[in-house]
Amino acid sequence: MTADEGSPGPRVEAAGRRSIAAEWIGVAATGDVVVPVEALYAPERVSAAPGTSNLPPAVLCLGR
């Protein structure tokens, strides 16, 4: 981070292949991430967040 003259706060920037820049990063992966299929959940097994609901399965996807 660098301070920009004339700006109220720090300037966050990154350059280069797979670069990341932010004021705060919780988790970052800049390389190839290989996740075993067992680590993923099928969408129908994931509960909707409070106040929302899961959509019923679509019979046919027509794009947008």
Side-chain angles (χ1 to χ4, degrees):
M1 269 194 295
T2 61
D4 238 356
E5 287 185 36
S7 81
R11 182 179 74 217
V12 181
E13 60 184 78
R17 190 169 179 260
R18 295 183 176 184
S19 296
I20 296 176
E23 288 186 33
W24 182 84
I25 298 174
V27 175
T30 61
D32 297 326
V33 179
V34 179
V35 179
V37 71
E38 297 84 22
L40 304 175
Y41 293 106
E44 61 271 6
R45 291 186 51 212
V46 178
S47 299
T52 64
S53 63
N54 288 331
L55 294 173
V59 178
L60 177 63
C61 179
L62 300 175
R64 298 180 194 212

